[in-house]
């Protein structure tokens, strides 16, 4: 038995191997198609990307024809390089460099020699392509933007890099891929499916027909169209209002979490990143250290939220039972005293309760409330964690899970934060009381501020903000339908909303009312420090405003932040009122506000920061922004002129 076991195993193994070889070489020859087979030429048919529409079906992004000149180095013969270079308007040095690069990729496989020619550039070459053996053209489609706004939302498409090719076998050299924005987030849906044709060649390298009569050929399938939640008119209007300003605007539909507008300023026309000029223009935008137009302030910039944060302090105070609607604090002569610590306040009536504390934006009221929250528990560290967990139930201090590829967490401190800051202990409520009014260690992004207001509008719940509304033939991610409940009871929201409504009636935003629209809002002014020349300098405050409307059936929640804009009611507040009216009425009646905002330029204010190095701007928010001279970049179209 032992004598025949080993020979039997050898025979069985050899038989299996022969069967497998026969199958691969005779029955199934698909592996031939995947190899660098000299007798088979592979041609790809690239589909159009899916179209992008807004929430109402308005076309935003379509496609235009483009042509890549491809080269197979091994097949180059008797090329008149002078004529070739003249046709394509390149130098001989460019030609030599590109051929060398193609050889490194593969002598036998096609690679892109010159990408993204338009019809006119390609026409002259097409007439004489037969003279240049080894070259052929590949038709593709590039994006064609129907609008000149929303660049940060759309993202773009660019040639795939080697790293991506190694990770994903779908992509080949010269293929295009979505980068940034929804182009990246929904790449697999928008890109479609490439068609493939296998062409048989003879020993003279001439095409003689389809391989196996087209048995393995496939047709291209166009990418799926998508509808965004975006209101195109609102987006355009918001970008106009932010000309010559820096900051972000985010508007959300509270009942769904759908993003109505996502504005970063300064911005640029998305069409400049299409075609052969894309690389040059992108480089100019990337190295524009003055305006930072590629930096999406709506998603990435982390700011102290300022007075809008008092809304959350009040809600937590009610939930923890340390205050009620009748709790009264006294604010003396425009200054507040929070258990041994002075805090500057606004001039208003001394006696403050929750309602007028909100519409007067009283620092005293919310500092005292915060101190009661901290002193409710024996250990300040435990109290801070209770406070922190309430805030995190609003989605703060974490990535929100929206369907755009970039973002920041913001910062909601907890006991671990203060153990790092004060390793030897000694901190207490008075040490961190500035958290109560949205300063201190608290940081939020504009989209987090907008989501916070949507949560208040909904009286305690929110949906994950998202940009996708509909995908043709598919369902959107079910996570966008999940309701997130906060730790604050619904009953506590009504008194806060009442106070927010009176911000517009008798409070800090009474000059911003829009007749016939009940708006609930909150002004904010966040301190802004930077290090310039080694010195800590206080710059003009950031202007912040949050709101929702209508009060009783909210359809829009919005956050506006204008860097160095001053008081919240000065610039951010008017922008919020105008955006709300534009969305709800599709027209503007507060022409006075519109005219004032369109004519405000903060260029001189930003120029005061001239010479500040990025490494010195450690206390400026957003922290990686620096202004290095007295002018904005002239390249950034939307930051050069004021439009009336």
């Amino acid at each position: 038995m032992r004598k025949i076991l080993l020979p039997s195993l050898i025979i069985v193994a050899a038989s299996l191997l022969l069967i497998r070889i026969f199958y691969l070489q005779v029955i199934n020859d698909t592996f031939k198609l995947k190899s660098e087979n000299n007798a088979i030429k592979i041609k790809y048919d690239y589909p159009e990307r899916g179209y992008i529409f807004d929430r109402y079906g308005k076309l935003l992004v379509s496609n235009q024809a483009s042509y890549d000149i491809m080269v197979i180095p091994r097949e180059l013969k008797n090329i008149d390089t002078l004529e070739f270079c003249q046709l394509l308007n390149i130098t001989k040095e460019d030609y030599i460099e590109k051929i060398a690069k193609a050889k490194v990729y593969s002598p036998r496989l096609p690679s892109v020699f010159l990408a993204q020619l338009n019809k006119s550039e390609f026409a002259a070459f097409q007439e004489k392509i037969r003279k240049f053996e080894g070259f052929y053209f590949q038709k593709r489609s590039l994006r064609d933007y129907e609008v000149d706004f929303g660049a940060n939302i759309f993202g773009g498409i660019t040639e795939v890099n080697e790293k991506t090719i190694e990770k994903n076998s779908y992509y080949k050299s010269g293929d295009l891929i979505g980068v940034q924005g929804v182009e990246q987030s929904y790449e697999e849906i928008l890109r479609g499916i490439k068609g493939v044709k296998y062409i048989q060649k003879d020993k003279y390298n001439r095409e003689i027909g389809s391989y196996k009569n087209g048995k393995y050929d496939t047709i291209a399938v166009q990418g799926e169209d998508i509808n965004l939640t975006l209101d195109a008119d609102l987006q355009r209007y918001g970008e106009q209002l932010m000309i010559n300003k820096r900051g972000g605007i985010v508007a959300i539909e509270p009942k769904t979490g759908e993003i109505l507008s996502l504005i970063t300023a300064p911005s640029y026309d998305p069409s400049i990143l299409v075609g052969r000029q894309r690389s040059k223009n992108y480089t100019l935008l990337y190295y524009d250290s003055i305006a930072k137009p590629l930096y999406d302030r709506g998603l990435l910039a982390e700011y102290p939220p300022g007075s809008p944060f008092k809304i959350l302090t009040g809600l937590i105070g009610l939930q923890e039972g340390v205050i009620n609607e009748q709790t009264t604090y006294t604010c003396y002569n425009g200054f507040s005293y929070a258990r041994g610590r002075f805090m500057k306040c606004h001039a208003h009536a001394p006696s403050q309760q929750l309602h007028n504390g909100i519409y007067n934006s009283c620092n005293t009221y919310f500092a005292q409330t915060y101190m009661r929250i901290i002193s409710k528990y024996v250990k300040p560290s435990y109290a801070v964690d209770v406070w922190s967990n309430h805030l995190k139930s609003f989605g703060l201090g974490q990535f929100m899970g929206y369907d755009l590829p970039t973002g920041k967490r913001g910062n909601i401190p907890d006991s671990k934060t203060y153990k790092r800051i004060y390793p030897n202990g000694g901190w207490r409520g008075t040490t961190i009381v500035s958290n109560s009014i949205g300063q201190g260690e608290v940081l939020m992004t504009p989209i987090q501020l907008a989501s916070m207001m949507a949560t208040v509008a909904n009286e305690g719940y929110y949906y994950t903000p998202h940009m996708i509304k509909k995908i043709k033939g598919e369902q959107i991610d079910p996570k966008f339908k999940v309701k997130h409940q906060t730790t604050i009871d619904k009953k506590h929201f009504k008194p806060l909303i009442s106070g927010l409504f009176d911000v517009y009636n008798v409070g800090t935003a009474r000059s911003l009312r829009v007749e016939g629209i009940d708006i609930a809002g909150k002004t904010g002014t966040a301190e802004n420090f930077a290090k310039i020349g080694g010195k800590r300098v206080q710059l003009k405050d950031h202007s912040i405003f949050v709101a929702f409307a209508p009060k009783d059936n909210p359809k829009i929640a919005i956050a506006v932040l204008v860097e160095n804009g001053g008081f919240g009611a000065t610039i951010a507040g008017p922008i919020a009122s105008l955006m709300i009216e534009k969305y709800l009425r599709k027209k503007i009646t507060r022409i006075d506000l519109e005219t004032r905002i369109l004519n405000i330029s903060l260029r001189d204010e930003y120029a005061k920061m001239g010479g500040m190095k990025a490494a010195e701007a450690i206390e400026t928010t957003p922290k990686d922004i620096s202004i290095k001279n007295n002018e904005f970049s002239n390249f950034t179209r939307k930051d050069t002129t004021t439009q009336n």
Side-chain angles (χ1 to χ4, degrees):
M1 187 69 179
R2 291 180 180 179
K3 292 182 179 180
I4 64 172
L5 179 60
L6 181 60
S8 299
L9 290 174
I10 295 173
I11 293 171
V12 170
S15 300
L16 291 173
L17 183 62
L18 290 172
I19 292 170
R20 180 63 175 166
I21 292 172
F22 178 80
Y23 173 76
L24 292 177
Q25 292 189 348
V26 179
I27 299 175
N28 184 353
D29 54 3
T30 56
F31 280 85
K32 292 181 181 178
L33 306 179
K34 298 179 181 179
S35 67
E36 296 185 9
N37 195 320
N38 292 334
I40 300 172
K41 181 178 181 180
I42 301 175
K43 285 186 176 181
Y44 292 104
D45 183 13
Y46 288 88
E48 285 195 29
R49 289 179 76 85
Y51 285 25
I52 300 176
F53 300 86
D54 84 343
R55 66 188 295 110
Y56 303 116
K58 179 177 181 178
L59 180 61
L60 304 174
V61 186
S62 57
N63 300 298
Q64 57 181 305
S66 171
Y67 303 87
D68 290 351
I69 306 301
M70 309 294 290
V71 63
I72 304 175
R74 190 172 180 176
E75 296 180 7
L76 294 177
K77 293 180 181 178
N78 303 319
I79 302 296
D80 185 339
T81 55
L82 181 61
E83 182 182 11
F84 183 88
C85 292
Q86 287 176 341
L87 281 172
L88 293 177
N89 194 26
I90 61 174
T91 65
K92 187 174 181 180
E93 290 74 18
D94 288 337
Y95 176 88
I96 294 171
E97 181 182 347
K98 291 177 184 296
I99 293 298
K101 184 178 178 181
K103 287 179 179 178
V104 170
Y105 173 73
S106 173
R108 294 183 292 180
L109 291 178
S111 60
V112 176
F113 177 85
L114 196 62
Q116 301 180 9
L117 280 69
N118 59 34
K119 287 183 179 180
S120 59
E121 291 172 326
F122 173 68
F125 180 77
Q126 185 182 22
E127 292 180 1
K128 298 186 178 182
I129 193 171
R130 65 185 184 281
K131 298 173 62 176
F132 307 115
E133 192 171 349
F135 289 96
Y136 70 96
F137 69 89
Q138 176 72 65
K139 185 177 180 180
R140 304 183 194 269
S141 64
L142 298 179
R143 281 314 205 184
D144 189 11
Y145 294 97
E146 308 297 326
V147 296
D148 63 354
F149 55 83
N152 61 311
I153 296 170
F154 304 138
I157 57 174
T158 189
E159 188 173 335
V160 69
N161 57 38
E162 292 298 324
K163 189 175 181 180
T164 303
I165 293 173
E166 291 175 5
K167 286 183 177 180
N168 192 329
S169 60
Y170 175 87
Y171 297 102
K172 309 297 179 186
S173 177
D175 283 4
L176 301 176
I177 189 172
V179 290
Q180 302 300 322
V182 295
E183 293 280 16
Q184 179 175 331
S185 296
Y186 294 97
E187 162 68 8
E188 293 186 8
I189 291 167
L190 290 168
R191 75 187 181 192
I193 301 173
K194 287 184 289 190
V196 184
K197 291 183 179 180
Y198 299 96
I199 309 298
Q200 186 80 39
K201 297 188 293 184
D202 63 15
K203 64 181 181 180
Y204 300 107
N205 205 36
R206 295 174 300 192
E207 296 182 6
I208 57 176
S210 297
Y211 177 71
K212 296 283 186 178
N213 294 317
K215 177 181 178 181
Y216 299 107
D217 293 353
T218 60
I219 60 173
V221 179
Q222 182 173 347
E224 298 292 352
D225 297 340
I226 64 174
N227 284 74
L228 304 183
T229 61
L230 187 73
D231 181 320
D233 290 338
L234 187 67
Q235 180 74 19
R236 178 194 290 111
Y237 186 59
E239 291 195 16
Q240 290 173 346
L241 294 176
M242 289 295 287
I243 290 172
N244 288 320
K245 306 168 190 71
R246 291 184 188 164
I249 304 174
V250 183
I252 294 174
E253 185 178 69
K255 293 294 189 291
T256 62
E258 294 179 354
I259 299 173
L260 303 172
S261 68
L262 176 62
I263 294 158
T264 182
S267 188
Y268 59 93
D269 187 332
S271 66
I272 67 173
L273 296 185
V274 176
R276 293 179 67 181
Q277 298 302 310
R278 183 192 186 279
S279 180
K280 173 186 173 184
N281 291 343
Y282 182 83
T283 300
L284 290 171
L285 291 173
Y286 183 83
Y287 287 105
D288 187 348
S289 60
I290 305 166
K292 294 284 185 181
L294 294 176
Y295 184 82
D296 192 332
R297 287 164 168 86
L299 301 177
L300 291 170
E302 298 169 297
Y303 305 90
S307 290
F309 196 79
K310 294 171 183 175
I311 300 168
L312 299 175
T313 301
L315 288 169
I316 296 171
L318 291 170
Q319 182 67 31
E320 288 296 311
V322 299
I323 62 169
N324 56 42
E325 293 180 59
Q326 286 73 45
T327 301
T328 303
Y329 297 121
T330 303
C331 185
Y332 297 101
N333 300 319
F335 286 83
S336 65
Y337 184 72
R339 295 196 182 184
R341 180 165 179 174
F342 283 97
M343 183 180 291
K344 187 177 180 181
C345 193
H346 313 285
H348 49 63
S351 181
Q352 295 292 302
Q353 296 179 331
L354 180 62
H355 185 79
N356 59 350
I358 281 285
Y359 71 69
N360 285 324
S361 197
C362 179
N363 289 341
T364 297
Y365 189 92
F366 296 98
Q368 293 281 21
T369 299
Y370 183 77
M371 293 299 298
R372 285 194 178 186
I373 295 169
I374 300 301
S375 62
K376 177 182 176 181
Y377 300 95
V378 175
K379 293 184 177 181
S381 59
Y382 181 79
V384 167
D385 285 339
V386 170
W387 169 81
S388 180
N389 289 334
H390 282 306
L391 295 172
K392 289 173 181 176
S393 75
F394 284 76
L396 306 180
Q398 55 197 287
F399 293 114
M400 300 195 71
Y402 47 74
D403 53 344
L404 290 168
T406 190
K408 286 289 184 69
R409 291 177 180 270
N411 187 55
I412 299 299
D414 55 18
S415 61
K416 293 180 181 178
T417 305
Y418 295 111
K419 285 178 183 176
R420 288 194 300 269
I421 297 174
Y422 304 99
N424 297 321
W427 65 274
R428 54 190 184 277
T430 53
T431 312
I432 59 175
V433 69
S434 56
N435 286 335
S436 64
I437 59 170
Q439 296 286 164
E441 286 69 49
V442 176
L443 293 174
M444 292 172 64
T445 61
I447 194 170
Q448 289 175 330
L449 278 167
S451 182
M452 177 197 81
M453 282 308 281
T455 308
V456 175
N458 292 335
E459 299 183 4
Y461 70 88
Y462 70 94
Y463 291 95
T464 300
H466 54 283
M467 190 59 73
I468 192 71
K469 188 170 182 66
K470 184 171 67 174
I471 303 171
K472 186 177 180 181
E474 294 189 32
Q475 296 293 319
I476 68 170
D477 194 323
K479 75 177 183 179
F480 299 132
K481 302 290 187 181
V482 176
K483 182 188 287 188
H484 302 279
Q485 199 74 41
T486 69
T487 55
I488 308 298
D489 296 339
K490 181 177 180 179
K491 64 182 180 181
H492 296 314
F493 286 88
K494 291 191 181 298
L496 266 295
I497 291 172
S498 177
L500 294 171
F501 180 52
D502 273 345
V503 168
Y504 266 87
N505 293 323
V506 295
T508 54
R510 55 189 177 275
S511 65
L512 307 178
R513 294 178 62 189
V514 178
E515 194 65 34
I517 300 178
D518 291 338
I519 306 175
K522 184 74 189 73
T523 52
T525 307
E527 291 182 343
N528 177 26
F529 292 92
K531 282 188 178 178
I532 301 178
K535 296 181 179 180
R536 188 173 187 264
V537 179
Q538 183 167 6
L539 304 172
K540 191 174 180 180
D541 295 335
H542 297 318
S543 179
I544 305 174
F545 200 90
V546 295
F548 62 85
K551 176 177 74 73
D552 295 327
N553 184 23
K555 292 181 172 59
I556 179 173
I558 190 167
V560 181
L561 194 146
V562 180
E563 294 177 16
N564 308 87
F567 294 117
T570 303
I571 299 181
I575 290 175
S577 291
L578 292 168
M579 291 284 285
I580 287 171
E581 184 178 24
K582 182 70 172 178
Y583 180 67
L584 296 179
R585 289 180 172 165
K586 311 303 179 187
K587 63 179 182 179
I588 296 297
T589 61
R590 288 298 306 268
I591 302 300
D592 58 322
L593 289 182
E594 182 181 65
T595 302
R596 176 155 65 88
I597 293 302
L598 289 174
N599 282 285
I600 287 177
S601 172
L602 296 177
R603 294 174 61 166
D604 291 340
E605 188 63 40
Y606 302 136
K608 292 178 183 177
M609 300 166 66
M612 183 177 69
K613 297 179 181 178
E616 294 176 327
I618 59 173
E619 293 184 74
T620 301
T621 51
K623 296 182 179 179
D624 61 344
I625 294 174
S626 62
I627 312 302
K628 296 183 179 176
N629 55 43
N630 292 334
E631 296 180 358
F632 275 138
S633 166
N634 289 327
F635 184 78
T636 309
R637 177 184 59 80
K638 294 188 178 180
D639 237 359
T640 56
T641 57
T642 300
Q643 297 180 4
N644 295 314

